[in-house]
Amino acid sequence: MVLDGASCPVRRALFGGAIDMHLPERFVDVSDFRQVPDHQECFAEGTRDQSVLVELLDYKEDVIDGESARFFFEDLAHANDSRATEVERTEALGVNDLPHFDAAIPKFLCVGTQSIVKSNDAQDAANVIQVLLACIRLPQVGTDILVTMNTPLTIHPNSRAAADGISAPPSSSSTSHDALQLFMLTLRTLHIHDWGLFGPS
């Protein structure tokens, strides 16, 4: 993946600097132009309709570690009212993928697609979105960290995205590969600096 100036990663301070990660400069902080819930950080890239979210959720005690990424992927599909959902694969992540997290911390990845209709679009104007979701489980502080990247693979011609001038990528396989590569590079930079973010130990 060749990086141009807009693709060069820059540090992003999350949750007041308690966490940080690096994202390409072309991603803008969504909180600069609309309200974002306190438990989320959201970045978006307008020309490709790509987005990255970091969420701090209450730890799901009833979800086993090995199924956690799939659970949150399917929970997201339900929240998105996905018309068609496919889990392509799930896998455990290691210290090479998230080097700033201890090897004993459970970390998992889910790769799949969701067919999503944006608000105000016709019900048959769904876009196919690649969803990459990493789950980092921190039961000691009662938290599941989710990092999600959404990348359109097909754009319905009658969708709002098409009206905004966003077109489908020429190759969905190449787009999927590039997005996964960027996602994994982003995960490698994710770092918790202040564990006080999660409350008293």
Side-chain angles (χ1 to χ4, degrees):
M1 181 172 59
V2 178
L3 298 180
D4 56 25
S7 297
C8 291
V10 295
R11 178 183 177 273
R12 309 303 179 100
L14 311 177
F15 305 106
I19 302 175
D20 68 11
M21 68 178 184
H22 289 70
L23 272 176
E25 191 173 4
R26 59 188 173 85
F27 284 87
V28 300
D29 189 337
V30 172
S31 67
D32 288 343
F33 50 89
R34 70 170 172 83
Q35 189 169 2
V36 174
D38 290 344
H39 71 284
Q40 290 183 354
E41 296 279 4
C42 182
F43 300 86
E45 197 282 334
T47 62
R48 308 177 199 185
D49 205 23
Q50 198 172 28
S51 62
V52 175
L53 288 86
V54 181
E55 299 178 87
L56 307 180
L57 302 181
D58 290 338
Y59 181 75
K60 290 285 187 182
E61 295 184 0
D62 56 339
V63 177
I64 63 174
D65 289 342
E67 293 295 322
S68 58
R70 177 187 288 267
F71 169 83
F72 286 113
F73 179 94
E74 293 176 344
D75 186 62
L76 178 62
H78 178 75
N80 287 335
D81 196 19
S82 175
R83 301 300 189 264
T85 302
E86 179 183 0
V87 174
E88 296 174 6
R89 72 177 191 275
T90 62
E91 60 188 65
L93 296 171
V95 292
N96 290 333
D97 302 309
L98 286 151
H100 300 295
F101 290 84
D102 188 271
I105 292 176
K107 306 171 283 286
F108 299 90
L109 171 71
C110 185
V111 177
T113 58
Q114 299 179 15
S115 182
I116 299 170
V117 175
K118 286 194 171 184
S119 59
N120 300 322
D121 278 351
Q123 293 303 301
D124 61 350
N127 301 322
V128 177
I129 310 298
Q130 179 196 48
V131 179
L132 306 171
L133 185 148
C135 175
I136 304 164
R137 312 216 74 194
L138 303 173
Q140 69 274 26
V141 292
T143 303
D144 283 307
I145 299 179
L146 302 187
V147 184
T148 308
M149 177 178 283
N150 303 296
T151 304
L153 300 181
T154 66
I155 301 292
H156 194 283
N158 295 330
S159 69
R160 187 176 65 186
D164 290 340
I166 298 168
S167 58
S171 168
S172 60
S173 60
S174 175
T175 300
S176 297
H177 176 270
D178 288 350
L180 180 58
Q181 188 177 10
L182 174 59
F183 187 65
M184 298 308 295
L185 287 171
T186 300
L187 289 182
R188 290 183 193 118
T189 68
L190 188 69
H191 193 180
I192 298 174
H193 295 280
D194 182 5
W195 287 84
L197 172 67
F198 306 103
S201 57

